[in-house]
Amino acid sequence: ESRSTLEAIRVKSEYVRLTKLKGTKVIDDADKQIAAMDATREMIDSWDDLTDTFPYSEKFIAIEGFKIIRKELFFNVGLALLAVGVIVLLTVASPVTALIITINVAFCLVEILGFMYALGIAIDSVSVINIVLAVGLSIDYSAHVGHCFMVKGGSDKNKRALEALADIGAAVLNGALTTFLAVVVLLFSSSYVFVTLSIQFALTVGLGVTHGLILLPVLLSLLGPKPFSSAEDLEEVVKNVDDTGSSEVNSKEFSDNPKDA
């Protein structure tokens, strides 16, 4: 009679789909893949009767990227906005104007993310790098307008905003057009990196120049600060010159009129 024993083990398994449909495309479901990777690691760590082991899959490299990409996006964009705000404050020398310009750039980034979602561009290492670059590109269209607004004298904010657009608006628009032409050829590429780059750059240029030439002047006309003291002094000099010139012209006309002699 055999005294051996037989132990039966019941293993429960199920198939969990780690992808999802995005329109007609099948893409990775980042949340499910991260949960599956973490659950696998926790299960292996709970086995005390094994030697030091760890799970590995070639998919873990991409999933690790999914796991940290959101934190890296907020962290890097936040640092970029902070750096831009400090630099604009030092160059424009107006806390209110620097704050308005920085908020204007932040609005532009939010709209870029919205268009990325509508176009089906995933948040990955390529798109995050381009979003950080968008901070530096979009500030260019707003900083010039904000600085030009500060050097316009007078108490009428609407007039100062119009004068700033008249002086610098064409140059800003031309800069946006040349930047767009530099990347538009990449739209016809078959590479994912180049296509994503060109789409995000086109969004950055379009939204950046729209915010810089439309939204920012409106915000400055409503919330803009007083001009620099040098601009006020220049405004007074121009006004005095105009008044003096008008007085001389009127005096000359009076002396040349024989009826008034």
Side-chain angles (χ1 to χ4, degrees), residues 90-108:
L90 295 177
T91 54
V92 177
S94 172
V96 176
T97 304
L99 179 62
I100 293 175
I101 292 174
T102 305
I103 292 175
N104 193 56
V105 174
F107 286 164
C108 183

Side-chain angles (χ1 to χ4, degrees), residues 88-89 91-102 104-105 138-153 157 160-161 163-165 167-169 172 208 211-221 223-228 231:
V88 171
L89 177 60
T91 54
V92 177
S94 172
V96 176
T97 304
L99 179 62
I100 293 175
I101 292 174
T102 305
N104 193 56
V105 174
S138 58
I139 190 62
D140 185 49
Y141 310 119
S142 299
H144 293 299
V145 177
H147 181 267
C148 194
F149 175 82
M150 292 301 299
V151 298
K152 298 300 178 183
K157 296 179 183 179
R160 291 169 58 200
E163 291 178 351
L165 285 178
D167 284 356
I168 203 70
V172 171
H211 283 69
L213 298 181
I214 298 177
L215 178 60
L216 181 61
V218 174
L219 293 176
L220 290 174
S221 66
L223 307 173
K226 295 180 179 180
F228 295 141

